[in-house]
Each structure stands twice: as structure tokens, then as C-alpha cells.
Amino acid sequence: MSIKPTLINMKTIDARGKSCPVPLIMTKKGVAEAAADESLVVLLDNETSAGNVTRFLQDHGMEVHTQREGSTITLTVPRGGAIPEQTDPAAWCTPDPAGTTNYMITIKQNTLGRGNDDLGQLLIKGFINTLPDIDHKPHTIAFLNAGIFLTLHDSPVLEALKKLEVSGIKILVCGTCLDFYQCKDSMAVGVVSNMYDILDAMTKAGKVIAP
Amino acid sequence: MTPIDLLTTCDVGGCSAKLPAAGLARALEGLTATPHPNLLVGTETHDDAGVFRISDEVALIQTTDFFTPVCSDPYEFGQIAAANALSDVYAMGGEVLTTMNIVGFPATVPLEVLRTMLQGGIDKVKEAGGVMLGGHTIVDDVPKYGLAVTGTVHPERIITNAAAMPGDVLLLTKPLGAGVIMAGHRIGEVEEAPCRKVLESMKQLNRAAVPVMQQHHVRCATDITGFGLAGHAVKMASASGVTLKINIEALPVFPGTYKLLEMGCIPGACFRNREFTDPETAYPETISYEQKMLLNDAQTSGGLLICCKPDVAETMRAQLHAAGYPETAVVGEVVQESGYGLVIG
């Protein structure tokens, strides 16, 4: 976990000069990269993009403030930021409500544990299919190496992963691994990610579960 | 010829360039109509084309469509713009008779490009069995191309968007996601093969579906273009006084579409279309953001959404496969009006 004190907790996405839908792609990436309490600032220079990005952020439950200065349109999404000095410490001790937990899962193979492969496949299937039913869900699941096979079209756990993704859990799939196994086109759930994003998520998570 | 990438000349292409449906409806509200006893399909049902009876045997179908470039190659753009314009005649169950070019062209682009583009259009009209009569060209900063088309149909065999009946089965003849893939292509996120698949689909005429529809006495269909599947489904529901139920999992989709949507590659037209369709659509809780956007993706020269009787659905699907639409799928059904135009399941 980062222990560096951050005074201005803000991520800026400069999408000026980019035409639709690039600003949206940059915004989506920025949202994924930003910490949960990090405010977002998106800089744009055309109304169409501003409208679409605003809709996108609002559709994802974010509050958007718009400012115009010269040709620049600034969208601000305030998230956390202020140090909650007044907050009752007890509030910080209550368990996280579902969906706001601070742990992630990394899956690095398409089996669970070492031993018989058939058993391993059965176990990983059970593990992932059970995830949608548990109360404290991870905020992110990262798939690496042979783990990426679980995100493809023929995955036995595709439905569960899609359900998790719809409920707002980030599914990161290692792009290098997809390329290596030549199955980028078969990916059916999650976003193609890179080591920076995955490592970033791991370092920011309260704990990382690696079954 | 100087190679030119037509996509460098415009910001939004194809049916994405359509004026938003909600705004258009407001603009058209209260306009004076020109009623006539021989007017069979007019403006009130927002159908694909107008139909006017000239005898007991023949009705004229008239339609026009034009837009800005959707692809880099002028010949290919000509073919797509023409296929898209001709499609409205097929959606009404007719055959193409005559066409005229509608062209806007920048003074700065070599005239060979114009000729190549028009040749693409003429070749499609020829394939449709139509006759090109001429056209009109103006100088314009951004190229625009399309056709005014006249077709014919027997007055009793007109297919409209206002005749869907509860119990009908819905067929869709081409995959969705063309707008998303082409937007991804513009920003270099789509490889040649998936892009080619979309271009070929946009060039394909909907003509071969007409005899199949007529053989099975289909009376209701529409082509899926700028308002997306959701938009055209809502229009059909409202014109017919029914509710359309569409199974999201059953929809044919171009490969790679969901991946782009998940990346945030969402064309502006999806947002515009949702402003019009969201109030009319019941989405299940399980639907993803990307699936909603897919339903609202603007298609250029998209497939036909056909209402047929349940007992012929499977035969029609097989015949449409054989006729050159191998992705044709049963995608839903028509039910009694339930408060929403469109229900997604």
C-alpha cells in the first residue's frame, strides 16, 4: 500500500485535440486507473465529446461538474479527496458493505492448486462460480498467464465473470498473455490490461488473494 | 489516381451522422401534411420509405438517404452509400426501378475520387437491377453521397413497420456492431479482417431477403440503420401498437464489438440514440452497459428486422441463410403492448 501522503488527490485526463470516441476511451482508462478516492479532471475541446463523456460518467454513478474557459471544457468528478477529520472512527471499523471491499484476486493459472489437473479445473470453476454469491466481493480480479483462458469464449466460468463485471467488479486480463497464447480475439469478458495497471491495482489493494 | 483516405475528410460517418431521432421528431411536429387518397404509407409512422399507388397493380416506393464517408476507399464508400439508400425499398418489400445521385463534394479533393465513388454507386444500382437516371452535385466541405430511389411494389404486398402482430417472431438478417467496429477502425484499434467483415456486410444488398419475405406473406419489417436496433424496434412498436421483446443473447454481433465497447470505444450515436430509446425500453437488471450500447449502435446499411409467423420462422431463417445472410437469427417476438415499446430479455 502507498504510504506517501497525497495532498492533492486528483487525476487529470487531457483529451483535447482528440476526436470521438478517443476521449471516452481515455476517460474510461483514467477511471480504471484512478484510486477510488481520487478525483478526476477531464479536459476536452468539443461539445460532442463533453456530452458523451458526461453521459458515460453519469451512467457509471459519478457526479460531474462542467466548466468552460476559452475553448477548453473541464469536467470534474469529485471523489473522496478531503481528509475525513470529523468522521467517527467507529465508522472506519465497520465491515465494508458489499461492493466497496478493498481486496483483489489474481488468477495465474486455469486450475486451482497443484495436483491432478482435472481436479484443479473443477476447483477453479467452483471458486469463480461461487464468487458472485459471496457478500464481500473483490473490487478487481486480474487474470495472468494460463489464467487468461478462463476469460475466453469457451470458458466454463464465463457467466459468473460476466455477472461480476456487470456488478462493477474490474476484470483485468493480461494483454501480453493473450498475445502469447494468441487468443486476444476470443476474450469474452474483462478489459485487456497491462502489468502497470495490474501491479498498480495490487499495490493499492488492502490484500491480494491468489488461489 | 491520387490515393485519398475519405475518412480524413469528416468527423462522423454513415448513419452515425443522422440527426437525433428525438430532435427530428420535434422539428417535424406540426408540419403540414399533404394527404392524398393514393398515399399508402406517409410520414406519420416514420417508415423507411413513402408509398404511393399509381394503379391497382403498382405502387411507387420513394426514399432517399445520403451521408458522409464511412470508409477510406471511394469506390467502396459509393457501394455502401448506394446499398444503404436502396435498402429502404427492400424494407418495404419492393424492387428498385430508378435512382438518382445526391452528391456533396469538396473542391479540394481530386475529381477522380468523385468518379470512383459514383462508379461504386452505379455498380450497386446495376446489381439491384435498377437504372441510374442522373443526379445533382454541390460543392461541400465534407463529401456526402447517397441516392434518391424509386421502387415498385404491388399495393397489396407492401411491407411496413406498422403491421407487427402479437405472436410474430422477430428475425434479424445482419450482425450488429458496425458503428462500433468502424469507429474503432478510425482510431486504429481494429485489424483488417474484422473491419473487412463489416465493410462487406454494409455493401451487401438486402434484396435477396425480399422474395423470402413475400413468399411467407411477411407484412412487417424495417431495415436497421442510424437509430440502431433499439431505435428501429421502438419505431416499429409504436407504429404497430405492440411491444417488441428482444433476447440480447440471441443477437448476431460482429466479432470484436464487445471488446471495443468495453474499452470505451462507444460512438456518439449510441448516446444520442439512447436519449430517444431509453424511455421506451425496459432493460433487465443483468444487462451490461456494453449491451445497452450495442442495442443503440448506429448501423450503416444494416440488416432487416422481420416479423414473421412462428410456424415459418425456422424455414425463413434457413432460406435467408441460403440467400446470403448466414448470420440471420431469431432474436425475439412481438407481444401485446405492455407500456414499453421494447423489452430486452
Side-chain angles (χ1 to χ4, degrees):
Chain A
M1 280 182 80
S2 168
I3 50 160
K4 196 177 99 187
T6 315
L7 294 178
I8 305 164
N9 211 1
M10 191 168 87
K11 184 176 186 70
T12 302
I13 299 149
D14 188 352
R16 285 175 295 184
K18 308 277 184 200
S19 63
C20 192
V22 177
L24 204 55
I25 295 175
M26 293 173 70
T27 303
K28 180 155 190 188
K29 191 160 178 285
V31 170
E33 285 168 2
D37 63 347
E38 201 171 11
S39 295
L40 294 167
V41 175
V42 187
L43 305 177
L44 300 150
D45 59 7
N46 74 83
E47 289 292 339
T48 309
S49 289
N52 294 348
V53 171
T54 302
R55 273 292 297 272
F56 176 82
L57 293 168
Q58 286 170 344
D59 285 345
H60 288 81
M62 285 174 247
E63 183 189 330
V64 183
H65 299 278
T66 311
Q67 280 176 305
R68 290 179 174 77
E69 204 181 312
S71 62
T72 300
I73 305 164
T74 307
L75 306 181
T76 310
V77 180
R79 297 202 296 184
I83 298 161
E85 284 169 5
Q86 309 294 321
T87 314
D88 174 7
W92 294 87
C93 304
T94 53
D96 293 326
T100 61
T101 54
N102 185 26
Y103 81 98
M104 70 177 285
I105 296 176
T106 58
I107 293 180
K108 291 171 280 196
Q109 53 194 52
N110 54 348
T111 56
L112 191 145
R114 280 173 207 277
N116 181 287
D117 273 355
D118 291 339
L119 176 63
Q121 278 169 15
L122 205 64
L123 293 176
I124 195 77
K125 195 173 147 187
F127 180 90
I128 293 175
N129 283 336
T130 310
L131 275 178
D133 301 326
I134 61 168
D135 284 338
H136 293 76
K137 295 184 184 57
H139 58 68
T140 305
I141 309 175
F143 290 87
L144 295 132
N145 211 323
I148 60 124
F149 289 114
L150 297 165
T151 67
L152 307 184
H153 274 304
D154 54 358
S155 161
V157 294
L158 193 57
E159 285 317 304
L161 289 177
K162 279 186 174 168
K163 208 184 275 181
L164 290 165
E165 189 175 42
V166 169
S167 73
I169 291 165
K170 267 192 262 179
I171 312 266
L172 304 179
V173 187
C174 161
T176 310
C177 315
L178 287 167
D179 286 338
F180 181 87
Y181 292 114
Q182 293 182 359
C183 46
K184 211 164 199 166
D185 287 337
S186 319
M187 195 181 105
V189 67
V191 293
V192 178
S193 192
N194 52 52
M195 202 50 93
Y196 180 88
D197 291 342
I198 293 172
L199 196 57
D200 191 52
M202 284 164 82
T203 54
K204 283 177 183 156
K207 65 182 170 216
V208 178
I209 293 182
Chain B
M1 197 187 92
T2 324
I4 180 156
D5 181 349
L6 277 184
L7 287 179
T8 58
T9 60
C10 65
D11 270 349
V12 281
C15 293
S16 278
K18 232 171 176 168
L19 200 69
L24 187 61
R26 272 198 304 278
L28 299 182
E29 204 175 63
L31 281 184
T32 326
T34 53
H36 191 282
N38 287 334
L39 178 62
L40 302 181
V41 178
T43 53
E44 52 299 313
T45 51
H46 305 278
D47 215 319
D48 302 304
V51 184
F52 190 86
R53 179 173 44 215
I54 52 171
S55 74
D56 288 345
E57 301 294 313
V58 182
L60 290 183
I61 302 172
Q62 297 204 285
T63 177
T64 180
D65 228 320
F66 61 93
F67 47 60
T68 51
V70 284
C71 61
S72 303
D73 181 69
Y75 181 75
E76 209 155 37
F77 172 53
Q79 290 178 297
I80 293 169
N84 182 72
L86 297 166
S87 175
D88 288 330
V89 168
Y90 301 129
M92 305 302 289
E95 274 295 330
V96 172
L97 190 64
T98 58
T99 62
M100 303 199 80
N101 289 316
I102 299 172
V103 188
F105 208 75
T108 50
V109 174
L111 287 172
E112 292 96 310
V113 175
L114 175 61
R115 187 188 307 130
T116 311
M117 186 177 86
L118 294 178
Q119 190 62 55
I122 290 169
D123 287 351
K124 267 296 147 187
V125 170
K126 236 192 263 176
E127 185 188 329
V131 179
M132 179 69 83
L133 302 184
H136 184 71
T137 306
I138 61 163
V139 175
D140 199 345
D141 289 344
V142 174
K144 294 180 186 73
Y145 178 49
L147 303 175
V149 187
T150 301
T152 56
V153 65
H154 190 288
E156 280 160 22
R157 310 191 87 188
I158 300 169
I159 297 175
T160 70
N161 71 348
M165 306 281 284
D168 285 354
V169 168
L170 294 168
L171 293 162
L172 179 65
T173 62
K174 286 186 187 176
L176 300 172
V180 174
I181 301 275
M182 294 317 289
H185 168 66
R186 288 174 76 122
I187 57 169
E189 292 289 342
V190 176
E191 282 165 26
E192 187 55 27
C195 176
R196 179 56 31 210
K197 192 168 176 192
V198 175
L199 288 169
E200 294 307 324
S201 173
M202 291 194 292
K203 285 196 277 189
Q204 188 184 22
L205 293 176
N206 282 325
R207 187 185 191 191
V210 174
V212 180
M213 292 197 289
Q214 294 293 11
Q215 183 196 333
H216 296 285
H217 311 289
V218 166
R219 290 286 77 93
C220 184
T222 191
D223 61 342
I224 306 305
T225 57
F227 299 129
L229 177 63
H232 291 282
V234 163
K235 278 172 181 278
M236 180 184 273
S238 132
S240 305
V242 296
T243 291
L244 267 55
K245 274 177 82 172
I246 287 180
N247 175 5
I248 183 83
E249 302 293 341
L251 296 175
V253 183
F254 285 113
T257 305
Y258 276 118
K259 209 170 76 183
L260 286 166
L261 285 169
E262 280 155 17
M263 217 175 112
C265 179
I266 304 169
C270 296
F271 292 96
R272 277 209 305 278
N273 285 336
R274 280 191 63 186
E275 278 174 30
F276 164 68
T277 62
D278 271 9
E280 292 292 326
T281 308
Y283 289 112
E285 273 186 22
T286 50
I287 196 160
S288 72
Y289 194 66
E290 288 75 23
Q291 287 172 321
K292 280 190 191 176
M293 289 307 187
L294 175 80
L295 286 163
N296 288 280
D297 182 37
Q299 307 298 293
T300 297
S301 189
L304 295 171
L305 180 67
I306 302 169
C307 297
C308 70
K309 296 302 160 210
D311 55 330
V312 298
E314 200 38 51
T315 312
M316 276 191 71
R317 196 183 64 86
Q319 285 178 330
L320 288 163
H321 276 223
Y325 311 102
E327 310 243 11
T328 303
V330 170
V331 298
E333 58 178 332
V334 180
V335 295
Q336 298 277 357
E337 204 270 314
S338 74
Y340 287 100
L342 176 61
V343 173
I344 305 298

